[in-house]
């Protein structure tokens, strides 16, 4: 079990994150992101519109304040007065919501009739050389927007405070009207975008339904592959699925072939045994030993092929050639102490073969070289493009070109004087082909005997 699998088994939350509806997950992410963007954008837009309305409101008050300053003069008693009345009628109506006031010099404030008996107050005693704008709640149930400025009029040394105030009711109504339009509009926009994301998700995932139907058709025997045209993003997955199906079919076919070959190989020895037992053959024991050995060779051969086929699908199959050669050389040297085994080449070369199968391949080659050679065995490890080459040479009599093909047949032995099953090279050929490799027999130029060239996919 990998670390990710162990973590998933220990953490149910991780399992929940990896399962569930893909469509719901995509819609939820889209809805969350759309909501965040619309809330942030709506807040920013609200601030912009509110600021624009407020600036327009303040501009109208600023215009009145400047007009009031321009129409002011100092009277004979040093008091300030307006030589021209302000044009807005609301200044004459008590509690109209629009007010002005001039104060300073320790005198009673000069104020509009709309203030009636009330007086505008400044937040703190200070001098405003520029227009100062602020909100005030000094009047009960009437929040004010006040603009004020200190001015020294010609003929006077007193700093007069000019104040113009208006109820915020009109300003708040405008801001409220904007928000009543803005919030439903953004909510409707968000709902439309979420619906669009849902439609896009269902439409985008629709090809997966074709894959499901194609797999159901394969299970029902109608098709053997997913061959419907699909989008570019889905096609690689379908290609891998088809490749997996082809791989499984090949393995199933090989399994059926192996089972048939094994049954056929065992049929003849079993028939001989049955006939011998039925006829009360005096040499029954010898016949049983001979035929049992034949059946054992066939079983070993097909078991080796079955193991290789079963392990071939492991994508992580890797083995270091040098380590395998050294390990097998020590075992062969113990069996044939008179043989000298040497090796050279790339010690870091890796092949895409399970270590157990690589040991069996190299073991058969080294054992044959030590058994049938003249005492010297040399192994060369190298790489040729995408293939790794394992070359085994000996100083024996070699094999004639006419016999180099026949020797790979099961049970064929050119030297019957030495013990063996006649399946070594046949097993090497079959296992190498299962992994996508090859084996060829040549003549050794250096040692004069047989040269076996085994090629396997390099890691």
């Amino acid at each position: 079990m990998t670390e990710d699998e162990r973590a998933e088994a220990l953490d149910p939350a991780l399992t929940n994150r990896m399962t569930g509806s893909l469509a719901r997950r995509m819609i939820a992410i889209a809805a969350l992101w759309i909501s965040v963007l619309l809330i942030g954008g709506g807040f920013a837009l609200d601030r912009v519109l509110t600021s624009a309305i407020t600036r327009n409101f303040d501009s109208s008050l600023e215009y009145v304040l400047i007009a009031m300053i321009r129409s002011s003069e100092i009277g004979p008693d040093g008091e300030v007065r307006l030589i021209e009345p302000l044009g807005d009628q609301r200044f004459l109506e008590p509690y109209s919501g629009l007010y002005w006031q001039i104060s300073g010099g320790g005198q009673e404030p000069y104020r509009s009739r709309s203030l009636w008996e009330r007086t505008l107050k400044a937040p703190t005693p200070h001098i405003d050389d520029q227009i100062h704008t602020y909100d005030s709640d000094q009047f009960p149930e009437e929040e004010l927007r006040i603009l004020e400025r200190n001015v020294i009029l010609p003929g006077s040394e007193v700093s007069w405070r000019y104040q113009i105030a208006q109820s915020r009711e009109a300003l708040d109504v405008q801001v409220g009207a904007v928000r009543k339009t803005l919030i439903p509009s953004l909510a409707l926009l968000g709902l439309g975008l979420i619906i669009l994301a849902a439609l896009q998700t269902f439409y985008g995932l629709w090809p997966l339904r074709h894959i499901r139907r194609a797999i159901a058709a394969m299970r029902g025997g109608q098709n053997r592959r997913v061959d419907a045209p699909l989008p570019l993003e889905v096609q690689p997955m379908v290609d891998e699925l088809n490749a997996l199906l082809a791989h499984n079919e090949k393995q199933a076919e090989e399994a059926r072939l192996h089972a048939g070959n094994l049954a056929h190989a065992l049929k003849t020895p079993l028939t001989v045994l049955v006939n011998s037992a039925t006829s009360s053959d005096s040499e029954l024991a010898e016949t049983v030993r001979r035929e049992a050995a034949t059946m054992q060779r066939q079983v070993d051969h097909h078991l080796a092929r079955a193991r290789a086929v079963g392990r071939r699908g492991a994508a992580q199959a890797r083995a270091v050639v040098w380590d395998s050669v050294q390990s097998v050389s020590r075992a062969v040297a113990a069996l044939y102490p008179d043989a000298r085994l040497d090796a050279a080449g790339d010690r870091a070369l890796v092949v895409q073969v399970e270590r157990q199968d690589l040991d069996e391949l190299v073991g058969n080659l080294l054992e044959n070289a030590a058994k049938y050679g003249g005492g010297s065995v040399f192994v060369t490890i190298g790489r040729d493009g995408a293939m790794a080459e394992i070359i085994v040479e000996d100083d024996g009599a070699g094999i004639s070109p006419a016999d180099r093909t026949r020797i790979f047949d099961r049970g064929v032995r050119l030297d019957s004087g030495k013990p063996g099953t006649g399946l070594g090279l046949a097993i090497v050929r079959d296992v190498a082909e299962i992994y996508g490799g090859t084996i060829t027999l040549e003549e050794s130029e250096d040692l004069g005997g047989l040269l076996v060239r085994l090629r396997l996919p390099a890691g």
Side-chain angles (χ1 to χ4, degrees), residues 66-86:
I66 294 175
M68 186 171 61
I69 294 173
R70 288 178 177 175
S71 62
S72 299
E73 67 175 8
I74 301 299
D77 297 330
E79 78 283 5
V80 66
R81 61 185 180 182
L82 299 179
I83 59 177
E84 295 179 1
L86 299 179

Side-chain angles (χ1 to χ4, degrees), residues 20-206:
S21 173
L22 185 61
R24 285 198 300 268
R25 187 181 308 174
M26 296 174 65
I27 295 174
I29 293 175
L32 177 61
W33 185 239
I34 290 171
S35 301
V36 170
L37 291 180
L38 288 181
I39 291 174
F43 178 78
L45 185 59
D46 175 75
R47 299 302 302 168
V48 170
L49 294 177
T50 301
S51 299
I53 295 172
T54 303
R55 284 195 303 269
N56 184 63
F57 186 84
D58 293 342
S59 295
S60 62
L61 294 179
E62 183 179 350
Y63 175 79
V64 176
L65 179 62
I66 294 175
M68 186 171 61
I69 294 173
R70 288 178 177 175
S71 62
S72 299
E73 67 175 8
I74 301 299
D77 297 330
E79 78 283 5
V80 66
R81 61 185 180 182
L82 299 179
I83 59 177
E84 295 179 1
L86 299 179
D88 199 318
Q89 185 67 24
R90 288 177 294 175
F91 288 121
L92 302 178
E93 299 175 3
Y95 311 128
S96 64
L98 184 61
Y99 318 104
W100 61 262
Q101 176 178 292
I102 304 174
S103 58
Q107 300 182 11
E108 183 72 17
Y110 181 37
R111 55 184 182 267
S112 66
R113 188 174 180 179
S114 57
L115 279 171
W116 202 244
E117 78 282 358
R118 298 182 300 187
T119 301
L120 295 176
K121 300 178 182 179
T124 55
H126 62 283
I127 302 298
D128 291 316
D129 295 330
Q130 301 294 329
I131 294 177
H132 176 214
T133 306
Y134 59 93
D135 294 322
S136 173
D137 57 356
Q138 57 185 278
F139 292 167
E141 300 181 357
E142 187 178 25
E143 188 175 357
L144 301 177
R145 183 76 172 170
I146 301 178
L147 274 71
E148 63 182 23
R149 181 182 177 184
N150 287 76
V151 178
I152 299 177
L153 298 175
S156 174
E157 296 181 354
V158 177
S159 177
W160 300 96
R161 181 184 298 275
Y162 284 77
Q163 294 176 295
I164 185 79
Q166 185 174 354
S167 173
R168 281 188 56 94
E169 182 180 358
L171 176 61
D172 294 338
V173 168
Q174 295 182 51
V175 173
V178 170
R179 289 175 176 171
K180 287 181 180 179
T181 304
L182 181 63
I183 294 176
S185 299
L186 291 178
L188 183 61
L189 177 61
L191 179 61
L193 291 175
I194 293 174
I195 294 175
L196 177 61
L199 293 176
Q200 183 179 8
T201 298
F202 285 115
Y203 179 75
L205 297 179
W206 192 260

